[in-house]
Amino acid sequence: MSDPHDEFKGKNVLIERKKSKDPSEITSKYSMSIETYKDILGECRRKLFEVRSRRARPHLDDKVIVSWNGLAISSFSRASKILLGEVEGTKFYFPVVGTEPKEYMQIAEKAALFIKKELHNAETQRLNHSFRNSPSKAPGFLDDYAFLISGLLDLYEFGGGINWLQWAIELQGTQDALFLDGDGGGYFNNTCRWIFQFFSV
């Protein structure tokens, strides 16, 4: 385990070693039932979350950035299926509204719907970069399009509707139109291509 700041030196660290998804090896070793094992593990996770919640929190930055939300959409979409592979009956204690993996897909879709409603222009198919109280005037950058498209593809792949795939395809067309370097290959990070031309040698 990595401990670069020596925070855990001389302390016990909770760890669950999982060689397989079958807990019978652990339960037989300690002569306990699987139900008892699940209860103990769930209680440990709850206590760990409570301790983490008491840590000093950083200053709140509550703006919504499209690229970051694209990454979150991917994470929640994937988690909605991956965590279902845990042992049946596992108790989850995570810092989100709703603690069951099946609800993570709803969280991913909620984030995608917010971006589509508040930060996407249906007429131009363009994105705004961020939102805080209202949409920013800054247009979306390449990473906003790229990460949102990736998130929408995960949303579709892991159980969302085909509408997310359709929107991803539309955004890909906009991304290509705005940022694709047809001559040199690759993509520009923003639409101000004259900057690159001015400094090129």
Side-chain angles (χ1 to χ4, degrees):
M1 182 184 74
S2 177
D3 184 21
H5 303 294
D6 294 327
E7 294 180 89
F8 303 110
K9 192 173 183 179
K11 297 181 180 179
N12 292 322
V13 179
L14 178 66
I15 183 172
E16 179 192 8
R17 296 191 181 277
K18 294 176 68 175
K19 296 180 180 179
S20 69
K21 295 180 180 179
D22 182 7
S24 59
E25 182 179 343
I26 296 175
T27 56
S28 61
K29 179 178 179 180
Y30 294 101
S31 301
M32 67 173 69
S33 67
I34 292 180
E35 188 60 36
T36 300
Y37 164 78
K38 293 175 184 176
D39 288 341
I40 292 174
L41 189 58
E43 181 65 12
C44 289
R45 287 173 170 163
R46 184 190 64 78
K47 289 181 178 180
L48 182 61
F49 175 62
E50 286 182 355
V51 171
R52 286 176 173 169
S53 299
R54 291 197 293 268
R55 290 180 179 173
R57 296 180 181 273
H59 293 295
L60 179 63
D61 181 357
D62 58 357
K63 65 179 176 290
V64 176
I65 297 178
V66 172
S67 58
W68 295 357
N69 275 264
L71 294 171
I73 291 168
S74 285
S75 298
F76 278 110
S77 298
R78 290 170 177 266
S80 71
K81 291 294 181 288
I82 293 172
L83 292 180
L84 287 178
E86 292 286 326
V87 178
E88 186 177 351
T90 299
K91 298 179 181 179
F92 295 94
Y93 295 91
F94 293 106
V96 294
V97 177
T99 57
E100 292 298 322
K102 62 184 179 182
E103 296 173 324
Y104 286 16
M105 180 60 71
Q106 298 170 10
I107 295 169
E109 289 188 322
K110 183 178 179 181
L113 284 169
F114 179 87
I115 293 174
K116 190 165 190 178
K117 178 183 177 183
E118 301 291 348
L119 293 167
H120 176 251
N121 186 315
E123 293 182 6
T124 64
Q125 292 297 325
R126 294 192 177 193
L127 296 169
N128 289 83
H129 173 62
S130 62
F131 182 99
R132 189 177 187 281
N133 299 325
S134 63
S136 68
K137 295 181 180 179
F141 298 105
L142 174 64
D143 57 339
D144 293 314
Y145 285 85
F147 287 134
L148 178 57
I149 290 168
S150 179
L152 294 174
L153 291 176
D154 282 335
L155 190 53
Y156 167 70
E157 181 179 353
F158 287 93
I162 196 171
N163 55 304
W164 301 121
L165 174 62
Q166 293 169 336
W167 190 27
I169 293 172
E170 292 172 0
L171 287 174
Q172 184 62 57
T174 304
Q175 175 180 295
D176 289 345
L178 292 175
F179 306 107
L180 181 64
D181 181 2
D183 297 325
Y187 288 87
F188 294 100
N189 187 50
N190 57 49
T191 56
C192 298
R193 304 183 184 190
W194 61 269
I195 295 176
F196 297 93
Q197 295 170 354
F198 181 80
F199 287 105
S200 62
V201 292

